[in-house]
Amino acid sequence: MDDRRSDHVVLVAPDGMPLGTALKSAVHTAHTPLHRGFSCHLTNPLGQVLVTRRSLTKRTWPGVWTNSFCGHPAPGESLEEAVMRHARHELNIEVTDVTPVLPDFSYRAVDASGVVEHEICPVVTAALDGDPVPNPDEVLDWRWTSTDRLRAAVDAAPWAFSPWLVLQVPAMALYGSAGESPHTPEGSP
């Protein structure tokens, strides 16, 4: 993939239709436009899920625990290609069995610094047989845990986790329930 293309995000209308592209570095502000993203939850052969702690140098939600990894599909890149690219970049791994589980997930959240995330963000699961070797610019720490333990932790201390993970866990069958695809309304923190 052309590195210049991966520095861009796809801007979208509320129905998901592409509106254009913008530099990723210029998009995440207090007035972030709606754009494409994705979230991936990795599982291992023991049925555990990988959670990661965001690097302290991340622009948004530094140091919080989150799903395995997230990213933005580049212009012209499929969701599966984006997942594979980010898995290599963030965790130095190859994943298999990429499966959409919340294809219509979207959210808007405001970080303590005032930076907004505003994404149409399909959620996928994928399989990993082994352990990650994280890129320290992306991931500070990581753990394999049971889905029950993660669900209990998110319920007990939602402030310690990314807002998108807090919304995803109760909606995913992986964590013991599956409801409607959640989203936060415009302007919600």
Side-chain angles (χ1 to χ4, degrees):
M1 156 150 311
D2 179 354
D3 285 339
R4 291 170 300 191
R5 198 172 69 161
S6 67
D7 287 344
H8 285 75
V9 297
V10 178
L11 304 176
V12 293
D15 66 0
M17 292 301 297
L19 297 174
T21 64
L23 280 172
K24 185 169 38 174
S25 60
V27 167
H28 294 97
T29 68
H31 305 286
T32 302
L34 185 61
H35 60 279
R36 285 189 185 150
F38 73 85
S39 290
C40 183
H41 296 249
L42 294 174
T43 59
N44 68 14
L46 300 175
Q48 297 172 311
V49 63
L50 181 73
V51 291
T52 60
R53 186 170 175 212
R54 291 170 63 84
S55 167
L56 295 176
T57 61
K58 295 291 270 184
R59 185 167 183 189
T60 58
W61 287 276
V64 302
W65 287 91
T66 194
N67 55 290
S68 306
F69 64 97
C70 298
H72 301 92
E77 183 178 43
S78 73
L79 176 61
E80 186 169 353
E81 290 168 333
V83 169
M84 301 295 231
R85 177 172 56 86
H86 281 273
R88 287 187 292 274
H89 172 73
E90 294 194 23
L91 298 171
N92 293 298
I93 56 172
E94 297 294 328
V95 299
T96 59
D97 302 322
V98 176
T99 306
V101 292
L102 295 176
D104 298 321
F105 180 78
S106 65
Y107 74 99
R108 183 183 187 280
V110 182
D111 181 74
S113 70
V115 175
V116 173
E117 277 286 3
H118 192 195
E119 295 182 347
I120 291 181
C121 184
V123 180
V124 301
T125 58
L128 176 62
D129 188 5
D131 288 332
V133 182
N135 174 343
D137 292 335
E138 300 289 340
V139 176
L140 177 64
D141 200 1
W142 61 274
R143 295 281 183 277
W144 287 108
T145 190
S146 72
T147 56
D148 290 342
R149 288 185 71 184
L150 179 57
R151 185 179 179 101
V154 167
D155 287 345
W159 46 265
F161 296 91
S162 67
W164 54 91
L165 180 65
V166 171
L167 293 168
Q168 291 167 7
V169 165
M172 293 177 63
L174 179 66
Y175 299 102
S177 70
E180 301 262 327
S181 179
H183 71 280
T184 55
E186 283 294 313
S188 295

